[in-house]
Amino acid sequence: MDAWAALVRVIERGYDDDIDEYINDLYCRNWLHEAWLLLDEHIVQIWTPQIKALDDRYKAATVDDGQALHQFLHQFHRQPGPDLWWWRRHPHILTGDLGRSLHSVGALGIDLDPA
């Protein structure tokens, strides 16, 4: 949960690390998705509102684009299933190495690193 919250905060400000780090960072949300199936119903009820709030913030700070990020998933990363919606989004603010990588495959967003 802390990793997802930290990632959302960074994305809201402008994620400027590289594409491989972004892909690795997204796995923290996968873990939450998978853990939900294993947790006690009471725990799920307690934490669901907080995760939903973070998911909403992530959606607000990202753009729905099913193709740009998938261009960078290598043989080391399997293609995410349809229920893993966060893999079809990229930051709205495009900056640093991630911004340059996403721009190179046609992603759109607010560019904080004008050429």
Side-chain angles (χ1 to χ4, degrees), residues 46-66:
I46 291 170
W47 286 99
T48 294
Q50 293 175 34
I51 291 182
K52 181 174 178 350
L54 287 170
D55 287 350
D56 290 345
R57 285 174 53 197
Y58 177 79
K59 288 175 184 175
T62 58
V63 175
D64 187 357
D65 179 1

Side-chain angles (χ1 to χ4, degrees), residues 2-65:
D2 290 342
W4 183 233
L7 179 59
V8 169
R9 280 191 302 275
V10 170
I11 290 170
E12 289 171 331
R13 290 189 311 261
Y15 189 101
D16 63 358
D17 213 334
D18 64 34
I19 188 75
D20 292 322
E21 280 303 312
Y22 183 70
I23 288 169
N24 286 333
D25 288 345
L26 282 179
Y27 276 106
C28 70
R29 184 59 180 86
N30 282 37
W31 186 89
L32 289 172
H33 179 76
E34 292 168 11
W36 245 229
L37 302 173
L38 305 173
L39 294 174
D40 176 87
E41 181 64 30
H42 179 70
I43 300 296
V44 169
Q45 287 178 354
I46 291 170
W47 286 99
T48 294
Q50 293 175 34
I51 291 182
K52 181 174 178 350
L54 287 170
D55 287 350
D56 290 345
R57 285 174 53 197
Y58 177 79
K59 288 175 184 175
T62 58
V63 175
D64 187 357
D65 179 1

Side-chain angles (χ1 to χ4, degrees), residues 83-102:
D83 55 335
L84 305 179
W85 55 266
W86 49 93
W87 286 98
R88 288 179 293 285
R89 302 186 71 82
H90 67 75
H92 183 62
I93 298 172
L94 298 178
T95 187
D97 289 337
L98 179 65
R100 285 186 288 280
S101 294
L102 290 171

